[in-house]
Amino acid sequence: MQPLDRLILKKGRADNSPLVRSLLSKKKLLSKGNLEHTRIKTALIIGGGGMRAVFSAGALRGFEKSGMADVFDIVVGVSAGSPICAYFLSGQTTLGTSIYLEELAENKFINLARVSKIMDIDYLDSVFRNVKPLDQKHIRSSRSKFYVTVTDAKTGKGELLDMKDRKIDIIDAICASSALPIIYNRTITIKGRQYCDGAIGNGIPIDFVLKKGCTDILIILNNALGRKSNSPPLFEKIFARLYMKKFSPGLRTATLARNRLYNQSLEKIQGLTNVNVGILTPEEMPLKRMSRDRAKMRQVAEKAEDLVQEIFQ
């Protein structure tokens, strides 16, 4: 099993990365209309992390500026990574990034005194629809297939929703994927079923893209890479006991076990030998899940953007 640090993409090491070479080759073949590009089946997975997802927003802005917006055959958003992916595929990456620096840094979104909605996903929905409208039509016409992870609120099992399915409202799906029960005490209905945070039942959905036949996989994580503690912090146990009474036992159990699932995904990634995998992650992350420091968020986004442009120049 290879060390995780060998999979991390860094400037100065990019030329030695089979994944980077494949993505650049894919870009070149696509630009020439050469169907040989189909031999390189690419996937992008964006992880969650609350406000730390501004790192992914900056990284995707770097891909957009590097002319690589169309290089991924499959894009998968997990939790807070889902809206980042959506704005990327809609051609609105800069607009999506600005939401973190403006609307989401307000008390309207994060309020620790509002215990049933510490993070107000209803407000998030209104931002995506009315304040900085997401172009769903553009997403559906994009070259990339787009999937959003969600968790079934009854069973606690993870699912992936196809955003090219016109029966699914994309904003409903990305809000459901971001709705962690501990900090948003509701579920979101999609096609008659109740869903919540995608990171609960999906960790890093590596198995999904492998089953799709992907040969080259980029994973962007919004925290300094490392395994998480399998045991949830005490405050999560307390919150789960106090504020998740209305949810099913299966969902409560899955919520507290989500770090274990994440670690299992990392182990799977380490053991892969027949595909090219790379992980983009910050060297350090000064933000917490509910940070509202605009200056730090802007700095994190800019560093991610610069890193991507240096690697894929």
Side-chain angles (χ1 to χ4, degrees):
M1 185 175 290
Q2 59 187 321
L4 274 172
D5 60 6
R6 286 191 182 180
L7 300 176
I8 300 177
L9 301 181
K10 296 179 180 178
K11 62 179 180 179
R13 286 176 46 182
D15 290 342
N16 298 320
S17 167
L19 174 65
V20 172
R21 292 197 298 268
S22 288
L23 291 177
L24 290 173
S25 294
K26 178 92 171 180
K27 173 188 174 184
K28 186 175 182 180
L29 292 168
L30 280 167
S31 69
K32 294 181 176 180
N34 190 331
L35 292 179
E36 284 293 305
H37 79 82
T38 59
R39 298 178 62 183
I40 306 170
K41 189 163 185 180
T42 56
L44 171 67
I45 298 173
I46 303 289
M51 299 300 282
R52 292 173 299 194
V54 73
F55 174 82
S56 290
L60 293 190
R61 197 165 57 184
F63 274 107
E64 191 173 71
K65 290 184 177 181
S66 299
M68 299 185 71
D70 292 328
V71 78
F72 298 105
D73 296 308
I74 295 176
V75 174
V76 182
V78 180
S79 191
S82 296
I84 298 295
C85 293
Y87 277 93
F88 175 60
L89 294 177
S90 70
Q92 301 170 290
T93 310
T94 297
L95 183 67
T97 305
S98 74
I99 292 173
Y100 282 86
L101 306 176
E102 297 171 4
E103 286 77 16
L104 301 193
E106 296 288 343
N107 203 46
K108 289 181 180 179
F109 179 55
I110 299 175
N111 186 341
L112 295 176
R114 191 179 52 216
V115 292
S116 64
K117 289 186 185 180
I118 293 176
M119 281 188 169
D120 189 350
I121 304 301
D122 300 323
Y123 171 69
L124 194 64
D125 182 285
S126 70
V127 171
F128 296 157
R129 294 186 193 278
N130 306 314
V131 182
K132 294 183 175 174
L134 176 66
D135 188 344
Q136 297 194 44
K137 184 176 180 181
H138 195 113
I139 293 172
R140 297 194 198 280
S141 65
S142 67
R143 198 189 73 81
S144 305
K145 295 181 179 179
F146 178 29
Y147 299 90
V148 165
T149 67
V150 291
T151 300
D152 186 297
K154 289 185 178 180
T155 66
K157 301 295 184 182
E159 296 182 22
L160 286 102
L161 302 180
D162 184 354
M163 295 299 96
K164 297 299 179 78
D165 181 349
R166 295 184 179 276
K167 295 180 181 179
I168 297 176
D169 180 90
I170 294 175
I171 293 175
D172 281 349
I174 62 178
C175 285
S177 187
S178 305
L180 182 63
I182 293 174
I183 55 179
Y184 178 74
N185 203 23
R186 300 182 185 181
T187 58
I188 292 175
T189 304
I190 298 174
K191 296 175 76 170
R193 298 176 63 186
Q194 303 296 312
Y195 292 109
C196 58
D197 189 89
I200 295 172
N202 285 284
I204 305 170
I206 187 67
D207 285 334
F208 178 78
V209 295
L210 291 173
K211 288 178 182 177
K212 293 290 184 180
C214 293
T215 61
D216 295 84
I217 304 166
L218 174 62
I219 302 166
I220 303 182
L221 301 177
N222 298 300
N223 54 285
L225 187 61
R227 286 175 176 78
K228 299 180 180 180
S229 171
N230 281 334
S231 178
L234 179 60
F235 83 89
E236 282 198 7
K237 293 180 181 179
I238 294 173
F239 267 66
R241 183 181 294 273
L242 292 176
Y243 300 116
M244 290 188 69
K245 293 179 180 179
K246 63 184 282 186
F247 296 108
S248 71
L251 181 61
R252 292 198 298 269
T253 299
T255 299
L256 295 176
R258 69 188 187 280
N259 286 355
R260 186 180 301 116
L261 187 62
Y262 175 92
N263 291 336
Q264 289 171 356
S265 298
L266 286 183
E267 291 175 6
K268 176 89 174 190
I269 292 163
Q270 281 182 273
L272 294 175
T273 57
N274 58 343
V275 296
N276 298 323
V277 180
I279 300 174
L280 197 66
T281 184
E283 291 186 7
E284 58 179 3
M285 174 51 71
L287 303 173
K288 302 294 185 182
R289 181 181 295 275
M290 292 184 283
S291 293
R292 297 194 303 180
D293 189 319
R294 288 182 171 86
K296 286 184 179 179
M297 285 191 286
R298 182 173 286 106
Q299 183 181 49
V300 167
E302 288 174 351
K303 284 186 175 181
E305 180 180 337
D306 291 344
L307 177 60
V308 167
Q309 290 185 285
E310 288 168 350
I311 292 174
F312 293 94
Q313 60 187 349

